[in-house]
Amino acid sequence: MAADRRSSWLKGVLDLLVLSCLTGGESYGYEIAKSLAAAGLGEIKGGTLYPVLNRLEEAGLAVGEFRAAERGPGRRYYRLTDAGRRALGEQSASWLEFHAAVKSTLYPGGTGDMT
C-alpha cells in the first residue's frame, strides 16, 4: 500500500517538483529524473516524466530545445519561462499551505506523533 500511496501523492505534486528542478538552469529529462530520485522521491520513469514536461511546455511554463550531441542521441533541454517562475512561486505557496493542513490534521497536538 505504501508504494501505491506515494505514487498517488507524487502525481499531485510532480509538475511542481519538475518546475523546481529547473530553477538552477536548463536540464534534460534524465537529469531531472536523477535529481528527483536523489531527493528521495523514487524512480520517475520517462513515461511519467515526459508527459509532465510536455504539459509544462504547452502551458508556457517551460521551453524545450532539442540539441544534437556529438556522440549518442541528442537531448531536449528544458528551462523555466518567466511564467513558469511565477507559477512555481504561487504553486509552492499553495502546496505548503496544503501540507500544513494535512500535517495539522495528522498531528493535531503539533507534537509530530499521533497520540
Side-chain angles (χ1 to χ4, degrees), residues 10-31:
L10 187 58
K11 285 179 186 175
V13 73
L14 189 56
D15 289 21
L16 180 62
L17 295 171
V18 170
L19 287 174
S20 182
C21 286
L22 296 174
T23 58
E26 63 185 18
S27 190
Y28 55 94
Y30 180 69
E31 196 171 63

Side-chain angles (χ1 to χ4, degrees), residues 53-67:
L53 288 164
N54 289 336
R55 191 167 49 248
L56 295 174
E57 224 180 336
E58 288 174 5
L61 304 178
V63 174
E65 175 189 346
F66 181 80
R67 295 186 195 150

Side-chain angles (χ1 to χ4, degrees), residues 9-106:
W9 298 334
L10 187 58
K11 285 179 186 175
V13 73
L14 189 56
D15 289 21
L16 180 62
L17 295 171
V18 170
L19 287 174
S20 182
C21 286
L22 296 174
T23 58
E26 63 185 18
S27 190
Y28 55 94
Y30 180 69
E31 196 171 63
I32 293 168
K34 284 191 334 186
S35 177
L36 294 171
L41 298 167
E43 179 186 0
I44 310 297
K45 297 188 186 265
T48 299
L49 180 60
Y50 288 103
V52 169
L53 288 164
N54 289 336
R55 191 167 49 248
L56 295 174
E57 224 180 336
E58 288 174 5
L61 304 178
V63 174
E65 175 189 346
F66 181 80
R67 295 186 195 150
E70 289 184 25
R71 289 187 289 181
R75 292 185 175 137
R76 188 163 182 83
Y77 284 82
Y78 297 87
R79 65 177 170 77
L80 282 181
T81 62
D82 290 339
R85 288 188 191 285
R86 284 191 302 276
L88 177 60
E90 293 165 4
Q91 291 175 24
S92 294
S94 295
W95 174 257
L96 291 173
E97 287 175 19
F98 180 75
H99 173 267
V102 169
K103 187 175 179 180
S104 69
T105 301
L106 291 174

